[in-house]
Amino acid sequence: MSLTVTLDVRSELGECPLWSVEEQALYFVDIKGRALHRFESVKGAHRTFAMPEEIGCIGLRKGGGFIAGFRSSLWLLDADGNRTQKLADNPEDQRTSRFNDGRIDPAGRFLAGTIDEPKDGGKAHLYRYDARGLATLVGGLLTSNGVAFSPDGRILYHSDTPTFTVWRYAYDPATGEATDKTLFVRLQPTETDRGRPDGAAVDVEGCYWTALFEGGRIQRYSPEGRLLVEYPVPARCPTMVCFGGADLKTLYVTSARTGRSDDELRAYPHSGSLFSMPVDVPGLPEYKFDHSI
């Protein structure tokens, strides 16, 4: 199995791919390009919705549309990507902080983290949003990433990308509380390989898949944190993985090209594109945001 170009879109910073089972369509964002993308692989149909500011993450919403994290705030979007209701402001300094990776939890809450763009003060957080408002789950971060849940919803995975670490928490879907933080994976950078854990997803066997930014590959880990396999990506900076297709056995990978050198882009001309490959173990369907929770 190998990853190939599925959509030669050349995003500046492609992120947050997620599959709609009902629509049989893939959605993803281009953070720096300020766009939401919709792609139907069977038809080859691709639509782009312009966004008014940087959009870091999205989640599917019950009844249609999305919840989305922008630089400034969390919003509800309709099915065409139009902002319809602001939910909460980004409580951090928006000049140097924006919402980044996010995912819906088993009860329908939205977990969304931020990025401390100077990466000098550990000012980023992982937040939980529900009917009670915005609450902090994890603080002291540089870049919140890699949010994913075990198949039973009782384990939360979360990475802090610049520190090369993935953490594991006990998660209570009834309350949205994360406790018992333990180290899941710590990568060891070298001079030639600065691959670090970015966006992630979990398959039906409970294995954690992560994209390695500046590592040019994706990895699959057992529930115990043992590396099982890795696959090269035709881009130096893959950003996030998700499962899609009729049987959820297609792995999609977004990537980035912004800020990359001319030499790197010559070596990886499809940087920023959407890649995919078939896998043997299917993924899990995405939960949906429930505004009443």
Side-chain angles (χ1 to χ4, degrees), residues 143-179:
T143 303
S144 179
N145 252 318
V147 175
F149 292 94
S150 61
D152 66 1
R154 296 195 169 274
I155 296 172
L156 166 67
Y157 298 97
H158 175 246
S159 64
D160 189 7
T161 299
T163 65
F164 299 87
T165 51
V166 183
W167 301 95
R168 170 181 165 140
Y169 299 80
Y171 192 77
D172 185 351
T175 64
E177 296 298 325
T179 57

Side-chain angles (χ1 to χ4, degrees), residues 67 74 86-88 108-112 127-135 289 291 293:
I67 183 172
L74 298 180
K86 186 166 78 168
L87 302 176
R109 304 178 191 88
F110 192 42
L111 271 59
Y127 296 99
R128 179 192 67 226
Y129 180 82
D130 57 21
R132 297 168 291 182
L134 197 67
F289 177 67
H291 204 186
I293 297 298

